[in-house]
Amino acid sequence: MQSHSSTPNPQPSFSAQFLTMGSNAWIVCALVLLLCMIVPSLATVHTVGDSGGWTLSADYSTWTSGKTFVVGDSLVFKYSSGHTVDEVSGSDYSSCTVGNSLTTDSSGSTTIPLKTAGPHYFICSVVGHCGSGMKLSVTVAKASTAAAPTASSGTPSSNGNTTITTPAGTTPTTTSIDSSSGASLSPIMATVSIFTLFAFSV
């Protein structure tokens, strides 16, 4: 009688399984990685006032000039103590009325995600600061209709600030990030990448 040894077949390692997957899995993984690189570059992080930050001495109409703001972008306000960032209505912006803020922060570093198209208004609610020019108005375009601003896209208002508008119905041909911008990896895309990798490794 012959003895049969019952040793289990070892399972191939993760890398061996991954390398033997069909070409479709490689294509899917490549597409997911490509999306991870492209999606973050579509959003722009605008540092308000660039290196000068959110302060009384800045000219925000000059700062907004030539910039395009699109749904998905963010505004980052960097400022010292003694200032605030308040998102307000258009009428409160025009009159520098404080106390009716939609949102407010005084942490010294405020990030405002631009989630909706249309005008967005920001002021410092410290008495006298808004009237001295510490106010910002941006018009946010829908992501699919944003275009590079032209020299005539800024509209000066009576208070000296400029509202930047972008033409509707146009499609951008290039995407650029200005010097005050940065991109970050989308947590959603990173999660999708990890799940896709593990789904095809099983």
Side-chain angles (χ1 to χ4, degrees), residues 34-99:
L34 180 65
L35 284 174
C36 287
M37 291 184 288
I38 291 173
V39 170
S41 69
L42 298 177
T44 302
V45 177
H46 302 276
T47 301
V48 174
D50 296 325
S51 62
W54 182 237
T55 181
L56 282 169
S57 61
D59 178 2
Y60 296 107
S61 60
T62 300
W63 179 79
T64 57
S65 153
K67 288 181 174 51
T68 302
F69 302 95
V70 181
V71 170
D73 289 355
S74 296
L75 297 175
V76 175
F77 294 80
K78 302 276 187 184
Y79 51 98
S80 61
S81 62
H83 296 299
T84 67
V85 176
D86 291 36
E87 186 167 7
V88 295
S89 68
S91 60
D92 286 349
Y93 172 85
S94 296
S95 63
C96 286
T97 301
V98 297

Side-chain angles (χ1 to χ4, degrees), residues 42-175:
L42 298 177
T44 302
V45 177
H46 302 276
T47 301
V48 174
D50 296 325
S51 62
W54 182 237
T55 181
L56 282 169
S57 61
D59 178 2
Y60 296 107
S61 60
T62 300
W63 179 79
T64 57
S65 153
K67 288 181 174 51
T68 302
F69 302 95
V70 181
V71 170
D73 289 355
S74 296
L75 297 175
V76 175
F77 294 80
K78 302 276 187 184
Y79 51 98
S80 61
S81 62
H83 296 299
T84 67
V85 176
D86 291 36
E87 186 167 7
V88 295
S89 68
S91 60
D92 286 349
Y93 172 85
S94 296
S95 63
C96 286
T97 301
V98 297
N100 301 320
S101 303
L102 304 171
T103 62
T104 187
D105 187 50
S106 59
S107 67
S109 182
T110 304
T111 300
I112 306 286
L114 300 174
K115 297 178 181 178
T116 59
H120 292 262
Y121 305 98
F122 304 93
I123 65 170
C124 178
S125 65
V126 174
V127 175
H129 289 196
C130 176
S132 296
M134 205 167 171
K135 59 196 288 185
L136 172 70
S137 170
V138 296
T139 299
V140 179
K142 292 180 183 176
S144 62
T145 62
T150 62
S152 63
S153 66
T155 307
S157 61
S158 60
N159 59 21
N161 288 330
T162 300
T163 300
I164 301 298
T165 57
T166 56
T170 58
T171 304
T173 55
T174 61
T175 301

Side-chain angles (χ1 to χ4, degrees), residues 2-23:
Q2 204 173 45
S3 162
H4 292 284
S5 170
S6 63
T7 58
N9 289 337
Q11 291 291 326
S13 69
F14 169 77
S15 58
Q17 288 177 346
F18 189 74
L19 291 173
T20 59
M21 286 191 287
S23 62

